[in-house]
Amino acid sequence: IRDSYNASLVAGNIMPSDGDDITKVLDEYERVDPENPALTDPRLATAYADLAEQMLQSDLQRAALIADTAQQRFPNDARLIGLQDRINTLREVQDIELRVAELEQELSDGLASIAELEDFGQYEASLQQMSALDPENRIAAAMVLRLEELVDEAVEAALSQNNWPGARSTLEAYAGILSQDRLAASLSRVDSAETKYSAQVGGVLAGVQDAVGGGDLDRAVRELRQLEQLNAAPGTIRQAREIVTRGYLGAAQQERGAGRFDEARGLIAAGQVVDPGYAGWQAELDAISQSEQLAGQALADQERQKIEQERQARIDALERRIQGNLNRTPFGVETARDTVAAVDELARAEPGN
């Protein structure tokens, strides 16, 4: 047994095989002489370590098998323990390299197919893993660059719709991938755009109020249309429309009060274009009709009063004429004729006299 052991050690036959090897000899020692020094021979531990180190660069799997076999027999050998640590490290590196290669292929395929930001979702986890495994990877860098382009497009689309929350949400969704400098700059751009837009909307709304206050309703309508073109918030547009509506209503009421009923109706018609659903239009139209009717009645009363005054003045004049003729001396034929004519005219002017 001893000769077989030494021969196998010298020949380097220290791993299990189909032929003669040292493991079969050691099994025999354990059967017939469990205390034999060969079972703890430091030369065998060194042989295992030397062989494993030889295999490290060419066949890591074989080196790991040798180290595992050696540690089962020599679990406390410092060199073998250190060697196992190196093998584990190399295995991790090898696994990382393999995973990086897989991720590179996946991201490379994805880079060619991504057309919209929504397409990126299926590659996000892989890109984050690649960034952790290989921060300088060129394919990952190209993918990030493509993502930045898509994020910029999505943010610009949101800004064009004045969708500030949408723009911020897009940036925050990819905050873990975008660089902090780029993220901060993009968020600052959204803030600036929102501030500028809010100031613009506020200025136009103030213009609506100013125009209505100055009685320039045409300008007020133009300002309202500008708010609509700016895609202002529904509440802001509603507020401006109410201001313009009240302006038209107030102007119509003023025209009604001045007796310019057609002008009042024209203002109501213009206001209905601004806000067709406003309930106050019909009430004002009814008020205009009522005022117009009352004004017509007053005019007719005035006309009748004028006619009566003229008739009474003519009667008074005829009576004075008749009385003057009757008092005339001598009362001649011409005076008599004039008196008769005056009496006839008086009878027509005042039939009951």
Side-chain angles (χ1 to χ4, degrees):
I1 295 175
R2 182 175 58 253
D3 290 343
S4 296
Y5 174 83
N6 290 328
S8 295
L9 184 62
V10 171
N13 297 327
I14 57 177
M15 291 296 292
S17 66
D18 293 335
D20 292 334
D21 61 73
I22 207 167
T23 60
K24 295 182 176 64
V25 177
L26 294 174
D27 289 342
E28 187 67 14
Y29 267 133
E30 289 176 345
R31 187 177 65 82
V32 300
D33 187 7
E35 302 298 326
N36 192 286
L39 293 172
T40 57
D41 187 356
R43 293 179 302 159
L44 179 56
T46 299
Y48 277 128
D50 290 343
L51 182 59
E53 285 186 343
Q54 292 176 15
M55 296 287 103
L56 279 181
Q57 299 303 321
S58 60
D59 191 344
L60 183 61
Q61 185 174 359
R62 178 66 176 171
L65 178 61
I66 295 169
D68 289 341
T69 301
Q71 279 205 299
Q72 290 176 14
R73 188 164 296 277
F74 304 100
N76 299 318
D77 185 87
R79 185 180 175 192
L80 288 174
I81 292 173
L83 185 60
Q84 187 66 58
D85 289 341
R86 289 173 59 191
I87 291 173
N88 291 339
T89 299
L90 290 173
R91 274 177 167 172
E92 291 176 1
V93 171
Q94 193 176 68
D95 289 344
I96 289 173
E97 290 175 347
L98 178 60
R99 182 55 182 156
V100 166
E102 294 173 348
L103 290 171
E104 282 185 340
Q105 184 61 53
E106 179 185 354
L107 294 178
S108 180
D109 294 342
L111 191 60
S113 63
I114 290 178
E116 299 178 355
L117 190 57
E118 291 74 13
D119 299 335
F120 178 78
Q122 59 183 312
Y123 302 103
E124 183 175 359
S126 296
L127 179 58
Q128 290 178 329
Q129 186 178 7
M130 177 68 91
S131 298
L133 294 177
D134 186 6
E136 303 299 324
N137 188 274
R138 60 180 183 81
I139 296 179
M143 178 68 85
V144 170
L145 180 61
R146 179 57 178 150
L147 172 65
E148 291 173 346
E149 294 172 351
L150 293 172
V151 167
D152 285 345
E153 292 175 3
V155 168
E156 286 301 324
L159 293 182
S160 69
Q161 298 296 319
N162 306 322
N163 183 7
W164 323 115
R168 292 189 180 93
S169 176
T170 297
L171 290 169
E172 291 166 359
Y174 298 98
I177 298 176
L178 300 173
S179 70
Q180 291 303 305
D181 289 344
R182 187 181 187 90
L183 178 62
S186 297
L187 288 172
S188 176
R189 183 160 58 93
V190 174
D191 292 341
S192 297
E194 183 179 17
T195 299
K196 180 179 178 181
Y197 173 80
S198 297
Q200 185 179 11
V201 169
V204 176
L205 181 60
V208 171
Q209 296 170 323
D210 181 68
V212 171
D216 190 349
L217 295 175
D218 289 340
R219 177 191 157 204
V221 171
R222 290 195 298 271
E223 298 281 7
L224 173 60
R225 299 304 177 222
Q226 186 176 355
L227 279 178
E228 293 172 342
Q229 292 171 1
L230 287 172
N231 195 26
T236 301
I237 294 177
R238 182 168 56 254
Q239 179 184 0
R241 183 175 290 112
E242 289 173 353
I243 293 171
V244 177
T245 297
R246 289 195 299 270
Y248 272 108
L249 182 62
Q253 290 170 341
Q254 289 179 351
E255 292 298 310
R256 171 168 60 86
R260 293 186 288 270
F261 305 113
D262 289 341
E263 289 81 354
R265 289 190 179 92
L267 288 166
I268 294 296
Q272 287 175 321
V273 174
V274 174
D275 189 357
Y278 177 58
W281 297 134
Q282 188 58 51
E284 180 57 25
L285 286 172
D286 292 343
I288 292 171
S289 297
Q290 185 178 6
S291 296
E292 188 175 34
Q293 184 179 4
L294 292 174
Q297 292 174 354
L299 183 61
D301 291 342
Q302 291 175 358
E303 185 65 26
R304 284 192 296 271
Q305 185 177 6
K306 179 181 178 183
I307 293 172
E308 179 59 26
Q309 288 173 347
E310 291 175 350
R311 187 181 73 86
Q312 190 61 50
R314 190 167 67 253
I315 291 172
D316 292 344
L318 288 171
E319 288 178 345
R320 287 194 301 270
R321 177 179 159 191
I322 293 170
Q323 189 61 47
N325 285 343
L326 292 176
N327 293 335
R328 186 175 294 179
T329 302
F331 187 78
V333 174
E334 290 301 324
T335 299
R337 288 176 179 171
D338 182 68
T339 300
V340 170
V343 170
D344 290 340
E345 187 175 352
L346 180 59
R348 289 192 299 272
E350 192 176 19
N353 193 317

